[in-house]
Amino acid sequence: MNLELLNRIRQQDMAARLEGVQADQTLIDEFLANGISFASTSEALESRFYQAVRELFQCIIPAYHNGKHVLLEGGPYRGCWLESTGTINSEVASRYLPSVAKNSFELFADFQREDGLMPYKWTADGPAYKQIQLVTPLARCVWNYYLMDGRRDKEFLIKMFQAMTSYDEWLMRNRNTRGTGCIEAFCTFDTGHDSSSRFWHVPDTPHLDDPARYDPDSPILPFLAPDLTANVFAQRKYIAHIAEELGLADEAKRWNEKAGETLSSLMKHCYDERDAFFYDVDRHGRFVRLQSDVLLRVLACEVGDDEFFAESLRRYLLNTRKFFSKYPLTSVAMDDPRFDPFSTHNSWGGAVNMLTLIRAPHAFEYHNRHVELTWIMQPAVSAFMRMPEFAQCISPWTGEAGYTKVYSPSILTMLDYIERLCGILVRPEGEIWFTGLTPYAIAHGKDVGMATAYSRTIGGVKFEIVNTVQGAEVYRDRQLLLRFPRGVRAIAGRDGALKAIVGISARMVEGEIEYDGRRIPIRISGNEEQAYVNGSFEQVRPGGIVPPSYE
């Protein structure tokens, strides 16, 4: 193993690396408490990682109403958006700066209108309400934050539960005008799909900037929107989890029933069985046949079983005619004549958006498609190595950085993917993932064979992982804990006790795992999970991958 890298992360001074960062010292101390350090034989990758850490603090400001620090979208977006900053961005940020994540979630409860409408964004100028702009379900992010925090803050959970149930009522009163049970899009910005051909001939904003009205002269509005409907399905599902946690058994049952009703409406109205795709439905009952990242948005809301997701991979997400570009995933299918690859402006017309990449892991991991997710992460990390700035969009052909810089979804995607691919990932359910892979450069073969090292402090215990092309070593408080072959993910409890392994490579991995004084032979296929029981491994989930497709 690469002892040089191990020694480097042990000797690195993160506080020194953060010198000169304009941020409240309490925030810097909060980040430092994570004990995070990263080293790589690739200078470009290591440099980009620490650039991400430093620039993350540029995306945080104190809120004017209470002085608490909140996350900003970054770049030209000097605010906190419900579709992203206050949901998926904050969920990822909670692993680094949990107080900022909590404060960002609470913004949308603090500024909720009396009628139940949440603001679609908050800025230093105040909250804004003229559209809904929903993507990632807030309730899932709130729930995962609560779990990561050790299920301690019931007051926070009650506050968010009340706010989210009230918002659900507003949506059903105002965005179900056709009585289908689907949530309706009144404008382009309702889904944040700027410059997407999905909304050609649709206004960017609601009628007269009223979120409860659509253009009465439009020949096609309102749309039954599958991503908005899926958002509400997932919201209701996680509101039920929260209700159960709060001891509200009858409420939990009611919200689960509501979730089922929303899912039924989604499948009845917005799902085309011929294409196996979700489409908007215009006022005439016609599918708006544009294949876009709506599919991944719906899947990230936990719609569909494992086979449904596998079919979506085969036909769309891993199809090089559809969304699986050299640097995936595009925002519009590449075989659509309306596909626009240009990434030099704020566009969901075809370019790869960082918001898609930060949202993707949940969809893949929910269905145990860990190997396939690496095929999304590896090109992205390769692109990050060559990007001078953390942009909103990248080229699907070259990975070249496009529009804007210091963009928090891009910054957080970089940090997140390093932890998922070759680092140490703390999970809401109480597990730690140690993944035995290394970043693999796509462009020109540069830095192929690189090694990495990563550290994190969890519950007062320092964990370190060193990855090379041969395998991984994990240390607990500087003592060797685990050694295993490349292509394996070790799953442990918060104390480091080994619980299971997962195959994280397309190939069959054979070798030995060294743990607890034993050398244990293993043979594990991609996506297969084996539990560690009484000194040996037993299969709990069979393997199998969905390879990329071309037709």
Side-chain angles (χ1 to χ4, degrees):
M1 286 294 164
N2 198 313
L3 293 178
E4 179 188 351
L5 286 181
L6 181 61
N7 289 330
R8 274 173 54 194
I9 61 170
R10 289 177 176 176
Q11 295 167 8
Q12 278 181 1
D13 185 350
M14 179 63 85
R17 285 185 176 269
L18 294 179
E19 283 185 5
V21 168
Q22 300 297 309
D24 190 291
Q25 187 60 44
T26 60
L27 289 180
I28 292 176
D29 291 343
E30 183 177 1
F31 183 88
L32 292 175
N34 297 304
I36 292 171
S37 187
F38 177 69
S40 173
T41 52
S42 165
E43 292 183 10
L45 182 62
E46 184 174 331
S47 173
R48 202 67 68 242
F49 178 86
Y50 287 105
Q51 179 184 346
V53 172
R54 291 175 63 87
E55 291 189 6
L56 178 60
F57 289 96
Q58 295 181 42
C59 299
I60 298 169
I61 63 168
Y64 64 81
H65 68 296
N66 60 12
K68 295 181 179 180
H69 291 93
V70 296
L71 188 65
L72 301 179
E73 191 76 355
Y77 313 106
R78 304 303 293 172
C80 185
W81 266 255
L82 181 56
E83 70 149 321
S84 51
T85 337
T87 48
I88 186 59
N89 299 4
S90 289
E91 181 178 334
V92 173
S94 69
R95 306 205 305 266
Y96 309 96
L97 294 164
S99 69
V100 174
K102 178 187 176 183
N103 299 339
S104 302
F105 295 140
E106 288 187 313
L107 278 177
F108 299 94
D110 291 343
F111 289 100
Q112 187 171 33
R113 288 194 332 199
E114 288 187 7
D115 65 355
L117 177 65
M118 285 185 176
Y120 79 90
K121 73 173 180 179
W122 171 93
T123 71
D125 295 327
Y129 302 93
K130 70 179 179 180
Q131 64 230 27
I132 57 174
Q133 204 153 340
L134 299 174
V135 183
T136 300
L138 175 62
R140 189 196 84 201
C141 301
V142 165
W143 177 247
N144 284 338
Y145 164 80
Y146 172 76
L147 295 183
M148 288 282 287
D149 190 49
R151 303 176 99 131
R152 296 179 299 176
D153 196 345
K154 285 288 201 305
E155 184 178 343
F156 164 76
L157 205 61
I158 291 169
K159 175 181 180 177
M160 297 307 298
F161 174 79
Q162 293 172 342
M164 293 185 296
T165 55
S166 180
Y167 187 36
D168 181 274
E169 293 171 2
W170 187 93
L171 288 170
M172 295 313 295
R173 285 197 309 270
N174 295 281
R175 290 303 186 100
N176 182 30
T177 65
R178 292 164 61 178
T180 63
C182 293
I183 303 302
E184 296 160 358
F186 289 177
C187 64
T188 302
F189 292 168
D190 275 341
T191 67
H193 267 131
D194 304 50
S195 303
S196 172
S197 46
R198 174 187 183 186
F199 287 108
W200 280 357
H201 313 297
V202 170
D204 281 346
T205 59
H207 187 55
L208 303 178
D209 288 344
D210 182 347
R213 300 177 68 184
Y214 59 88
D215 179 5
D217 297 319
S218 170
I220 52 178
L221 291 178
F223 283 176
L224 308 182
D227 45 350
L228 299 180
T229 305
N231 174 283
V232 168
F233 158 68
Q235 273 287 112
R236 291 175 161 188
K237 179 178 174 179
Y238 278 89
I239 286 174
H241 290 325
I242 294 169
E244 187 173 3
E245 178 74 7
L246 295 175
L248 306 172
D250 290 343
E251 282 287 283
K253 180 181 178 182
R254 185 169 73 91
W255 283 102
N256 272 321
E257 290 172 352
K258 284 175 170 284
E261 292 167 1
T262 305
L263 180 61
S264 295
S265 296
L266 171 69
M267 301 306 293
K268 177 181 178 181
H269 295 284
C270 297
Y271 182 65
D272 179 27
E273 291 188 1
R274 184 194 72 183
D275 292 352
F277 209 91
F278 294 94
Y279 297 113
D280 295 310
V281 182
D282 74 6
R283 68 186 298 174
H284 306 288
R286 303 173 303 178
F287 284 133
V288 181
R289 288 193 184 276
L290 178 85
Q291 293 176 349
S292 72
D293 71 298
V294 162
L295 175 63
L296 183 63
R297 293 182 177 197
V298 171
L299 295 171
C301 288
E302 303 177 9
V303 171
D305 59 16
D306 289 350
E307 180 49 41
F308 189 97
F309 187 76
E311 183 65 9
S312 295
L313 292 178
R314 281 188 286 268
R315 294 186 62 170
Y316 295 105
L317 298 180
L318 299 181
N319 187 331
T320 60
R321 289 180 179 268
K322 298 293 184 179
F323 300 97
F324 198 50
S325 49
K326 180 172 181 179
Y327 294 86
L329 298 153
T330 59
S331 47
V332 169
M334 290 175 282
D335 63 354
D336 190 299
R338 294 163 288 190
F339 172 74
D340 173 10
F342 292 103
S343 57
T344 53
H345 60 290
N346 174 15
S347 173
W348 288 84
V352 177
N353 272 262
M354 285 297 160
L355 277 173
T356 296
L357 298 186
I358 201 171
R359 291 165 180 156
H362 185 77
F364 281 73
E365 291 169 353
Y366 183 76
H367 296 284
N368 299 300
R369 290 293 172 182
H370 307 283
V371 175
E372 291 85 347
L373 178 60
T374 68
W375 306 338
I376 310 300
M377 294 193 295
Q378 288 281 20
V381 172
S382 179
F384 280 128
M385 288 170 57
R386 295 177 286 110
M387 288 166 54
E389 306 287 355
F390 287 102
Q392 173 183 334
C393 309
I394 63 173
S395 165
W397 310 144
T398 67
E400 182 180 359
Y403 179 64
T404 203
K405 59 184 179 180
V406 196
Y407 183 61
S408 71
S410 183
I411 292 165
L412 289 162
T413 297
M414 170 71 175
L415 299 178
D416 180 58
Y417 278 20
I418 289 295
E419 290 202 329
R420 277 185 155 83
L421 192 65
C422 59
I424 301 169
L425 180 68
V426 186
R427 299 287 297 166
E429 61 271 16
E431 296 175 344
I432 307 174
W433 288 2
F434 303 102
T435 302
L437 288 175
T438 56
Y440 195 98
I442 289 177
H444 310 297
K446 186 177 180 181
D447 287 323
V448 170
M450 71 179 70
T452 62
Y454 193 87
S455 70
R456 231 188 199 280
T457 299
I458 303 167
V461 178
K462 185 79 165 190
F463 291 97
E464 299 157 320
I465 185 170
V466 180
N467 267 301
T468 70
V469 292
Q470 286 78 37
E473 286 183 346
V474 177
Y475 294 82
R476 180 175 56 191
D477 286 337
R478 297 199 168 210
Q479 299 299 311
L480 182 65
L481 175 67
L482 275 166
R483 181 180 286 122
F484 51 91
R486 177 185 175 88
V488 172
R489 171 177 288 155
I491 299 174
R494 291 288 177 98
D495 59 356
L498 183 61
K499 297 172 66 175
I501 57 173
V502 172
I504 204 77
S505 171
R507 63 184 169 86
M508 181 71 71
V509 176
E510 298 183 77
E512 290 182 335
I513 287 186
E514 295 182 38
Y515 174 70
D516 197 24
R518 297 183 175 93
R519 289 176 176 266
I520 310 160
I522 63 163
R523 189 173 189 272
I524 191 166
S525 61
N527 294 321
E528 180 182 355
E529 182 175 347
Q530 298 178 8
Y532 182 65
V533 181
N534 298 324
S536 62
F537 291 98
E538 300 176 0
Q539 187 186 79
V540 294
R541 190 181 65 247
I545 64 169
V546 176
S549 57
Y550 314 99
E551 297 178 356

